[in-house]
Amino acid sequence: MKKLKAIVLGAGYRGRAYAEYAKEHPDQLEIVGVADPEQAGVIPAKKYWKDWRECLEERPEADIVMVTMPDALHYDPAIMALESGYHLLLEKPISPTEEQCREVIDCALKNKRLVIIGHILRYTAYFAHIKALIDSGELGEVVSIAHQESAGFWKVAHSYVRGNWANSIKSSPIILAKCSHDFDLFVWWIGRKCRKVTSFGSIKLFRPEMMPKGAAKRCVNCPSEIERRCVWSALNMYVDHDELKYLFADHSDAAMQKLIEETDYGQCVYRANNDVPDHQTVTMEFDGGATVSHVMTGFTAKNVRTTRIALTRGEIVGDGENLDICRFDGKHVETGVPEMYRIPNRSRHGGGDFNLVSEMIRIIRRDDAEEIRSTTAQALESHLICFAAEKSRLAGGRVIELD
Ligand SMILES: NC(=O)c1ccc[n+]([C@@H]2O[C@H](COP(=O)([O-])OP(=O)(O)OC[C@H]3O[C@@H](n4cnc5c(N)ncnc54)[C@H](O)[C@@H]3O)[C@@H](O)[C@H]2O)c1
């Protein structure tokens, strides 16, 4: 089988995660070039560039371009790569604006190129098992889904209060940045179009007026009796604990100390210039009448997604790791995990990172025009729900109808 060649634009956390696949499966994928102004060399490749445009203008010989740069740097490279004939592994979101999302997908369809979005959840054994159970028909049709994305108190502070996605203008609304994954699951599971969306959400806690009296703007300057009691303290999150270190290529003690002293990650969570909600609820109605309620909240001890799916003949209840499946007539139902997800791999997101790359390679090798078209077109659906939800939230929960 022919080995595919890929270029990585952005050697950050996501670029490194997908590039790892080439190390593990050198017979399937080779990373031939990497563009990154700061750390291209962290991914082994034959050629390096400082900027994505410099790279694409050279038109290096490759099959796939991986766009793993910040949200605002997705649209231009995506269009240029598609017009140059590359298939695209594009991190979510396609783009922060609806118009640009539509343009990217139109461009891919026109050029008959594949676009796979980094919606890694559908490539995990757990979520794919839910899909197989629904598709088996054993439990009947989906009537309603109640899904909670418990974002984890530390994760929300890291990404959506202090970090890259704290400001919707500089990056994307949180409902797009965080929840396009979930909407992708709903569209995939139900297999029909979402028609109506309504949403509420706000910043409950991370506002200047909630700052404890006497606290400082940076945690390193905060009086220790306040700092030690704050679970969001940057010292607590980045120095005392290791959970977030994997996000940084250099996570030595010195680098983490510099991070909290000099960067936005050292800011007090109540004074971080964030504008995205710390909790948001979205309600959806799909063709055929199925309804979904999605709760995203940053006030949870664990970072996990829990799901209850009510079907006409049974129920699926998932705690994020295990599924409890029941058929109302008491008959046993078990479809098992689909074949391609049975082999565990060491990549993050429950193996989803590697499974996504593997699936992309499979589709490109198979070269079926209809599969390429439908996979690419479906990428847009989740994003359109996100934009409708944000529109609704900003309009106080008005019902938004999708075409
Ligand atoms: N699918 C998921 O689960 C998931 C998780 C996290 C992030 N993301 C998405 O992935 C994307 C990247 O996020 P990340 O966490 O890897 O960020 P990151 O900051 O770790 O990496 C981004 C990289 O892009 C590089 N870059 C910036 N400008 C560039 C340019 N002009 N040319 C080339 N490279 C450039 C940066 O130097 C950096 O190394 C974002 O869009 C984010 O929303 C997806």
Side-chain angles (χ1 to χ4, degrees):
M1 239 353 147
K2 182 185 154 223
K3 170 164 59 175
L4 298 186
K5 293 180 181 170
I7 297 162
V8 181
L9 307 180
Y13 158 50
R14 298 310 299 155
R16 295 195 300 277
Y18 295 128
E20 278 290 306
Y21 188 90
K23 268 197 215 162
E24 202 113 322
H25 301 281
D27 54 320
Q28 294 180 30
L29 185 71
E30 180 185 359
I31 306 298
V32 291
V34 182
D36 194 299
E38 286 164 18
Q39 49 184 3
V42 296
I43 299 174
K46 285 184 188 145
K47 179 131 197 206
Y48 295 107
W49 299 266
K50 285 267 178 220
D51 181 63
W52 68 266
R53 195 180 290 276
E54 224 181 284
C55 162
L56 290 186
E57 276 172 357
E58 253 182 53
R59 297 210 178 190
E61 194 207 320
D63 307 283
I64 300 169
V65 166
M66 299 182 175
V67 177
T68 48
M69 296 182 289
D71 300 2
L73 289 178
H74 288 190
Y75 171 77
D76 287 330
I79 296 285
M80 198 163 161
L82 290 168
E83 286 183 342
S84 304
Y86 299 105
H87 297 290
L88 205 61
L89 194 174
L90 175 59
E91 253 312 343
K92 55 91 211 154
I94 300 170
S95 155
T97 75
E98 179 175 340
E99 200 184 16
Q100 289 187 345
C101 289
R102 288 182 186 275
E103 280 179 42
V104 169
I105 298 304
D106 282 351
C107 181
L109 295 175
K110 194 178 86 201
N111 287 286
K112 299 189 170 30
R113 297 292 87 186
L114 174 69
V115 178
I116 293 260
I117 306 297
H119 285 143
I120 33 70
L121 295 183
R122 62 157 78 189
Y123 302 99
T124 63
Y126 172 85
F127 289 111
H129 190 183
I130 296 179
K131 169 74 173 158
L133 283 162
I134 294 172
D135 284 357
S136 75
E138 289 280 310
L139 298 162
E141 272 188 58
V142 174
V143 178
S144 58
I145 300 178
H147 181 85
Q148 174 156 321
E149 179 175 11
S150 300
F153 70 91
W154 76 98
K155 194 75 199 287
V156 161
H158 169 78
S159 297
Y160 300 97
V161 179
R162 295 179 169 124
N164 293 346
W165 299 276
N167 185 289
S168 58
I169 308 296
K170 286 192 201 149
S171 57
S172 312
I174 190 167
I175 204 69
L176 178 62
K178 189 100 194 82
C179 307
S180 76
H181 285 299
D182 304 274
F183 298 150
D184 179 60
L185 292 177
F186 308 146
V187 167
W188 185 48
W189 285 338
I190 296 174
R192 296 188 185 213
K193 298 253 181 221
C194 176
R195 292 301 179 193
K196 287 184 193 161
V197 175
T198 178
S199 179
F200 297 95
S202 60
I203 305 178
K204 169 80 179 157
L205 187 65
F206 302 114
R207 294 184 273 125
E209 61 272 31
M210 307 302 272
M211 186 174 176
K213 211 162 167 239
K217 282 188 188 169
R218 295 193 81 81
C219 301
V220 285
N221 300 326
C222 201
S224 67
E225 65 276 15
I226 300 176
E227 184 275 316
R228 286 290 102 181
R229 281 208 313 268
C230 177
V231 293
W232 295 283
S233 153
L235 282 88
N236 183 41
M237 286 176 51
Y238 300 105
V239 178
D240 298 347
H241 289 94
D242 294 339
E243 280 87 350
L244 293 164
K245 290 186 179 166
Y246 74 92
L247 294 166
F248 302 94
D250 178 1
H251 48 251
S252 60
D253 290 351
M256 296 322 268
Q257 192 60 33
K258 195 162 178 235
L259 182 88
I260 64 167
E261 284 175 8
E262 295 176 17
T263 74
D264 287 351
Y265 293 111
Q267 300 176 97
C268 172
V269 281
Y270 301 101
R271 300 290 292 273
N273 287 323
N274 48 309
D275 73 355
V276 302
D278 51 25
H279 68 296
Q280 186 165 350
T281 295
V282 182
T283 311
M284 288 148 261
E285 187 180 62
F286 281 70
D287 266 350
T291 52
V292 179
S293 88
H294 172 71
V295 173
M296 183 284 299
T297 178
F299 300 94
T300 58
K302 284 188 184 170
N303 178 208
V304 68
R305 287 171 161 95
T306 49
T307 314
R308 299 188 80 96
I309 306 181
L311 300 103
T312 49
R313 288 201 296 275
E315 200 180 4
I316 304 170
V317 179
D319 66 5
E321 272 183 41
N322 301 299
L323 295 174
D324 193 1
I325 304 144
C326 128
R327 211 175 118 140
F328 300 148
D329 61 11
K331 284 194 185 145
H332 178 72
V333 178
E334 186 44 77
T335 59
V337 177
E339 187 70 40
M340 79 166 274
Y341 302 104
R342 285 202 192 128
I343 307 158
N345 68 64
R346 62 175 184 84
S347 71
R348 293 195 72 89
H349 293 119
D353 288 355
F354 278 11
N355 287 339
L356 178 148
V357 179
S358 159
E359 177 67 352
M360 179 164 201
I361 292 171
R362 184 194 68 74
I363 297 176
I364 295 172
R365 279 177 169 168
R366 187 159 172 253
D367 197 24
D368 177 272
E370 178 46 29
E371 186 175 30
I372 290 178
R373 192 205 63 76
S374 61
T375 309
T376 301
Q378 205 184 76
L380 191 60
E381 301 275 320
S382 61
H383 284 57
L384 297 183
I385 303 176
C386 296
F387 291 117
E390 188 60 358
K391 215 181 275 176
S392 171
R393 185 185 78 83
L394 295 173
R398 183 158 60 83
V399 175
I400 306 294
E401 303 217 8
L402 287 112
D403 289 339

